[in-house]
Amino acid sequence: MTKHTEVLIIGGGISGSTAAHFLRRPWQLLEREPVLGGLSTQYRSNDFWFDYGGHYFHFLHALPIQSHLTTSAPFKRYVRRSKVRIFDRLIPFPLQSHLESLPATWRHRIVRELATPGAAPGNSLGSGLRATFGSTLYQIFFYPFLSKYYDTDPDALASGMEKGSIPQPRPDTATLKRDKKPQGYNPEFFYPVGGLRLFWKKYEAPLMSSVRLSEPAISVDLTRRRVETRSNTYTFSRLINTIPLPQFLSLLNGFPANPNPPGALIHASTRVTNMVLAVRRRRFHWVYLPETIHPYYRMGYYPGAGACKIYLEQSVPLNTRMGEKESDASHLLQQLGVIHDREEILYVSQRTIPISYVLFNQSWFHTVPEILQRLKEKGVYSIGRYGSWNYSSMAEDALTARNTALAINREMS
Ligand SMILES: Cc1cc2nc3c(=O)[nH]c(=O)nc-3n(C[C@H](O)[C@H](O)[C@H](O)COP(=O)(O)OP(=O)(O)OC[C@H]3O[C@@H](n4cnc5c(N)ncnc54)[C@H](O)[C@@H]3O)c2cc1C
């Protein structure tokens, strides 16, 4: 059957759904899965609901969308308590503001380097961090942590890809004064009372009459402005895409040849190991894990009351099967003081996120903006962390989606 809509949205995560909330023209939304929410909802395993790794809302860089999201459902505010595990101890995050907690020999070297102007930053993520923080802090924290996080050497990635997520040293960092001021993009965060799934129940309610669940887009013709699914053909005036850009490009007909040169759009994949524990023993929210003796880069507690649920995140090569690259996490959890013995782990569930972090190499800068511009000329807004092939948070994605919808409303009025 052929259906016409003014605006067609592909993907019903936070980006596609927020755009739908703000559109004032007729729209339809196609979602591949039987539920809305994408990565920002929860999945059920046995009797438990789990998030896809730590998913906290932080509005510092997306204030205009805060009231829209937090009035849809009740949210609770948390003041971040995060740590870094290094030298067999837990040091408050960010490490560069708590140098007094490091062993003296390392601390002295780091302080000396922070006080000395560094080399020119270069154009890789690694060289930029060495220039800013010195080679010692890079060697003990940034290199091992980021190599695990992105499954890639930071020297192979472009500077700027961290997008302000790494707190910079302050003028008095090297003096070791205790810096109590909040740092980073998430000194506080918000999480829906009762979990992400309950947020989605409320958030999706006004949308459902124009949403097509379990109906993936399988081909997109930009010349005739048509999208095919297995059961329908949709014609549109404007298209909002939120699925990962390489996947979207692979669905396209009528777009100039080779929009995605091999190796240009690269990414990491993440395996999330979720667990239910018998008891909560620690009060921190999450811990960054630079040590290379195990594969995990972050461990955290899911917020909220009820069962004590935790997650461990590790990057894995794409197509890694369950059971491969597996590491017994119970030893690590004991070191962190999260469990006393493995009997306290009551349940384990794993999910792999095939595209989790967009990686920026040098070709990102001359490939991605050009692809997005060419799509826009064809009436396609490709948005969201994966649709725009960028680094962003849920709140930033929601804000971009709102702004996109408002721009389309103006264009079509
Ligand atoms: C491990 C991890 C931890 C994170 N932690 C945080 C955090 O703490 N805070 C934060 O703000 N952000 C966090 N993020 C980022 C956050 O997940 C994203 O910014 C956000 O979820 C992106 O939303 P989206 O709607 O753009 O994309 P998605 O959530 O990926 O939604 C895209 C939707 O498109 C659907 N789809 C796919 N293919 C098709 C098709 N062919 N046809 C129709 N539909 C299709 C998918 O099913 C999905 O529902 C984290 C990400 C990861 C990977």
Side-chain angles (χ1 to χ4, degrees):
M1 199 159 107
T2 299
K3 305 172 179 200
H4 180 73
T5 180
E6 289 195 16
V7 187
L8 187 65
I9 304 169
I10 304 183
I14 194 82
S15 299
S17 302
T18 303
H21 266 277
F22 284 94
L23 280 170
R24 296 293 169 262
R25 310 299 304 176
W27 58 268
Q28 291 269 312
L29 188 153
L30 303 176
E31 168 54 50
R32 179 187 61 191
E33 301 297 323
V35 292
L36 288 186
L39 277 181
S40 56
T41 189
Q42 296 176 301
Y43 72 91
R44 186 177 178 160
S45 175
N46 214 337
D47 282 339
F48 300 104
W49 289 94
F50 292 110
D51 305 9
Y52 293 91
H55 267 85
Y56 318 106
F57 284 84
H58 23 85
F59 294 106
L60 197 59
H61 302 308
L63 280 174
I65 204 69
Q66 180 167 1
S67 64
H68 167 74
L69 291 174
T70 55
T71 48
S72 312
F75 273 70
K76 186 173 170 194
R77 174 179 171 271
Y78 295 81
V79 175
R80 180 189 66 207
R81 291 191 306 267
S82 59
K83 309 274 184 192
V84 177
R85 182 180 153 85
I86 194 164
F87 298 119
D88 288 335
R89 50 188 93 170
L90 285 178
I91 297 180
F93 170 86
L95 199 53
Q96 53 269 33
S97 300
H98 298 90
L99 298 176
E100 72 284 352
S101 308
L102 288 174
T105 41
W106 294 100
R107 183 172 68 231
H108 293 144
R109 279 165 64 177
I110 293 167
V111 166
R112 218 176 25 248
E113 288 171 7
L114 278 169
T116 318
N123 57 9
S124 78
L125 177 61
S127 61
L129 290 169
R130 284 192 296 275
T132 308
F133 294 100
S135 56
T136 304
L137 197 50
Y138 182 77
Q139 181 198 331
I140 64 168
F141 177 68
F142 288 109
Y143 175 77
F145 176 73
L146 292 173
S147 301
K148 285 209 279 184
Y149 191 51
Y150 294 130
D151 196 25
T152 304
D153 185 332
D155 276 327
L157 299 170
S159 69
M161 74 164 281
E162 71 282 10
K163 300 256 166 174
S165 62
I166 299 175
Q168 297 296 295
R170 294 197 166 149
D172 59 357
T173 300
T175 65
L176 297 184
K177 267 199 232 139
R178 262 184 186 273
D179 191 346
K180 292 272 189 230
K181 278 182 245 127
Q183 288 196 283
Y185 63 96
N186 58 358
E188 61 172 20
F189 63 88
F190 295 79
Y191 189 80
V193 176
L196 289 164
R197 190 178 59 94
L198 294 191
F199 161 76
W200 273 98
K201 256 184 146 170
K202 294 251 164 62
Y203 197 56
E204 70 186 16
L207 308 177
M208 293 315 284
S209 59
S210 297
V211 167
R212 307 282 307 183
L213 295 174
S214 305
E215 193 172 333
I218 55 172
S219 100
V220 179
D221 183 333
L222 291 186
T223 309
R224 295 158 78 193
R225 300 207 169 192
R226 288 157 68 117
V227 167
E228 305 281 344
T229 68
R230 272 188 286 274
S231 41
N232 293 301
T233 299
Y234 295 84
T235 57
F236 59 84
S237 302
R238 299 284 185 284
L239 183 65
I240 297 178
N241 170 59
T242 69
I243 72 172
L245 189 57
Q247 289 171 6
F248 180 71
L249 294 175
S250 74
L251 301 182
L252 285 186
N253 303 312
F255 199 64
N258 198 17
N260 179 11
L265 307 187
I266 55 170
H267 63 87
S269 304
T270 298
R271 179 189 286 155
V272 178
T273 302
N274 285 317
M275 294 183 180
V276 179
L277 303 183
V279 60
R280 179 162 184 164
R281 298 195 175 279
R282 304 301 303 245
R283 301 320 307 167
F284 56 71
H285 294 123
W286 65 85
V287 191
Y288 298 101
L289 302 165
E291 292 163 325
T292 51
I293 42 166
H294 59 79
Y296 306 103
Y297 63 77
R298 183 165 53 194
M299 173 267 148
Y301 287 97
Y302 286 122
C308 173
K309 291 188 265 185
I310 65 162
Y311 59 87
L312 287 145
E313 293 169 358
Q314 75 183 102
S315 286
V316 288
L318 197 59
N319 300 325
T320 305
R321 288 193 300 268
M322 290 299 170
E324 271 183 78
K325 300 247 164 199
E326 204 76 64
S327 162
D328 180 7
S330 62
H331 181 61
L332 168 67
L333 294 175
Q334 286 178 47
Q335 285 181 331
L336 294 172
V338 167
I339 57 171
H340 283 176
D341 63 63
R342 60 170 62 226
E343 303 301 307
E344 291 179 17
I345 302 174
L346 303 182
Y347 186 70
V348 180
S349 164
Q350 287 187 324
R351 283 289 183 281
T352 298
I353 304 169
I355 299 181
S356 53
Y357 297 99
V358 169
L359 302 182
F360 291 54
N361 52 15
Q362 296 308 327
S363 61
W364 186 99
F365 296 94
H366 51 85
T367 309
V368 175
E370 194 190 320
I371 294 173
L372 296 178
Q373 179 55 34
R374 279 156 66 186
L375 288 173
K376 203 161 167 210
E377 286 158 13
K378 295 267 185 187
V380 180
Y381 293 80
S382 196
I383 61 167
R385 177 180 180 129
Y386 305 107
S388 66
W389 207 246
N390 213 319
Y391 178 84
S392 51
S393 67
M394 294 182 287
E396 288 166 328
D397 289 339
L399 181 58
T400 306
R402 181 201 75 158
N403 293 342
T404 302
L406 298 181
I408 291 175
N409 294 342
R410 279 195 301 275
E411 268 173 38
M412 299 186 77
S413 64

